[in-house]
Amino acid sequence: MLYAILLMQIFVGQSESSENTVEKLSLAEKLFPAAELVWSKTFEGKMTDFAIAEKSGHIVIGAVKDLKGWVYLFSPDGKLLWTKENDKHSKIKECAGVGVAISDNGETTVVQWGGDYEEVQVYDITGEKLYTHKHGMSTVAVAVSPGGGYIKHARLFDKTGKKIVLGDILKGLPIEKLRHRIEYKNGTYSPYIYRDINFTFVSEKEIAVLLDSVLYFYSFPEGKLKWKSKELDGDGKITVEGRYILVSGDREVYLYDKEGRLIWEKRLDKKLYSHAVAFSRDKKNIGIYGLPGKRRVILFDLTTGKIEVSTHELESKVSLPKLLLLANKVLLSGYTGGQTSDEMKGYCTYIMNFDDNWNIVSESWEKGLIFGTSTSPLIGVYESDATGETESGYDEGVFGYENSTVFTINILKIRD
């Protein structure tokens, strides 16, 4: 999510939605000329986060302007269902940023207000607040389970706000292998188990846990162990798509199905650190972006694990991008910071076009962002009036160059 980086800096960005429908902007027309424009709306200020419900197509948008924050929830056809404002709906009086997440069915929306502290709220589709929780400042982005029943943040809660401690319910998990810390209590120091577990939701009733180089698959919230993997080459990132579970470790990439069968594994020539993973919309490929010192895209055949593409070092300077794989096209959308010329500072997309034999035909930059996943029914295209220029001439914070006063979101149906 964009907000995971945004929280590292306090940035200045009243954000009001305009109900006036506008024509498709140039980026939507250029990248998706045959797409159906479902709806389009223009907002004041600067967008800080955006999410599409994977199954239903609901859209949630976070925005700020002049230390005021807004969250908008739209139906798939563009009807505004509700709006939340920090000064009316939270205790944060000056909003520096807002992150959002939404369940696959569109029933549960999570709002992460940021200011002098952090407040996480959960709303249902009618706009009723289910719970609110005050946190210290955190760079952990909010996430919600597919059915909307559980919220993952710095901690795990159900949607009513009840705290869930995974280490207490996951049967057979080697809790003793979690890292230890020293706790100061009653005048003495004593060791305790730090229950920071690397996990992700596979479905509303299943989770995958990666601990001490082993992948565990549990029923949830019962905590019954269904299967566990062999020892893997280090820990890493868990990515779930349909019946597939991908683990991208230090050098190895493993693909499992939900029944625990190892479909394939591949060893890479460079270590993976911070990286983005995406499945293609045609369900034929898996893409990984981001190797230290050599920013490149690797595309794997989903069925066999064969590496179809390992690009040269890219000119892309996008930080922690959203990766989207379309037919013969790879899109990297994110924030460029002060690493590029003024006209490309801020929110940008790096575009690679391939021919049918996976040769790169063209590479280009565009101002704006593309949002979507392999299963989302809609694609979001963001553009703004940001210039990338500042009064001082220096980079004024991580998100300082997205100095927009107005932005437009186009929602499209595309043909892959």
Side-chain angles (χ1 to χ4, degrees), residues 26-136:
S26 59
L27 184 57
E29 292 178 323
K30 186 172 185 177
L31 295 183
F32 309 107
E36 174 190 349
L37 177 63
V38 180
W39 58 267
S40 178
K41 297 184 187 296
T42 298
F43 306 79
E44 292 186 7
K46 173 165 56 180
M47 187 188 74
T48 62
D49 213 350
F50 178 103
I52 302 176
E54 293 278 342
K55 304 300 181 185
S56 67
H58 288 77
I59 308 292
V60 59
I61 299 168
V64 295
K65 183 180 180 182
D66 298 332
L67 292 179
K68 185 171 181 179
W70 276 258
V71 175
Y72 310 97
L73 180 66
F74 292 95
S75 66
D77 61 359
K79 178 182 177 182
L80 180 62
L81 300 180
W82 50 256
T83 302
K84 303 298 176 184
E85 303 173 34
N86 69 285
D87 56 352
K88 295 179 181 179
H89 302 100
S90 80
K91 294 183 179 179
I92 295 178
K93 300 306 178 184
E94 293 186 347
C95 183
V98 53
V100 295
I102 191 168
S103 60
D104 288 356
N105 57 13
E107 294 293 326
T108 304
T109 297
V110 187
V111 179
Q112 185 179 13
W113 301 107
D116 52 344
Y117 66 94
E118 189 172 277
E119 188 173 320
V120 174
Q121 300 176 340
V122 180
Y123 293 91
D124 69 14
I125 198 169
T126 69
E128 179 183 355
K129 186 191 296 182
L130 302 179
Y131 93 93
T132 185
H133 190 89
K134 178 180 177 180
H135 294 274

Side-chain angles (χ1 to χ4, degrees), residues 237-254:
K237 184 183 184 75
I238 311 170
T239 304
V240 175
E241 189 64 68
R243 68 184 186 91
Y244 298 106
I245 304 173
L246 186 82
V247 178
S248 40
D250 290 341
R251 287 186 180 272
E252 298 277 344
V253 179
Y254 306 87

Side-chain angles (χ1 to χ4, degrees), residues 102-106 144-150 201-204:
I102 191 168
S103 60
D104 288 356
N105 57 13
V144 58
S145 61
Y150 303 95
F201 293 102
V202 178
S203 69
E204 192 68 10

Side-chain angles (χ1 to χ4, degrees), residues 131-181:
Y131 93 93
T132 185
H133 190 89
K134 178 180 177 180
H135 294 274
M137 291 302 292
S138 168
T139 59
V140 179
V142 291
V144 58
S145 61
Y150 303 95
I151 312 303
K152 181 182 179 183
H153 184 238
R155 300 177 180 88
L156 179 63
F157 300 87
D158 68 17
K159 68 178 182 180
T160 68
K162 179 182 177 182
K163 184 178 177 181
I164 299 172
V165 180
L166 284 178
D168 292 342
I169 66 173
L170 299 183
K171 304 172 183 67
L173 191 70
I175 297 299
E176 68 280 0
K177 292 186 177 181
L178 289 173
R179 55 194 170 125
H180 291 255
R181 289 186 175 182

Side-chain angles (χ1 to χ4, degrees), residues 341-408:
S341 57
D342 280 351
E343 62 269 20
M344 298 312 298
K345 290 187 175 90
Y347 297 158
C348 292
T349 296
Y350 191 75
I351 305 155
M352 288 180 287
N353 292 294
F354 297 85
D355 63 21
D356 293 338
N357 295 317
W358 292 113
N359 299 306
I360 297 178
V361 176
S362 64
E363 301 174 63
S364 61
W365 282 98
E366 293 288 348
K367 289 284 287 182
L369 300 170
I370 312 298
F371 294 94
T373 67
S374 65
T375 59
S376 56
L378 302 172
I379 294 291
V381 180
Y382 159 95
E383 287 189 275
S384 77
D385 65 347
T387 63
E389 299 175 353
T390 62
E391 292 182 3
S392 66
Y394 294 97
D395 191 344
E396 298 173 353
V398 172
F399 278 77
Y401 280 107
E402 188 66 12
N403 57 346
S404 63
T405 63
V406 63
F407 66 91
T408 296

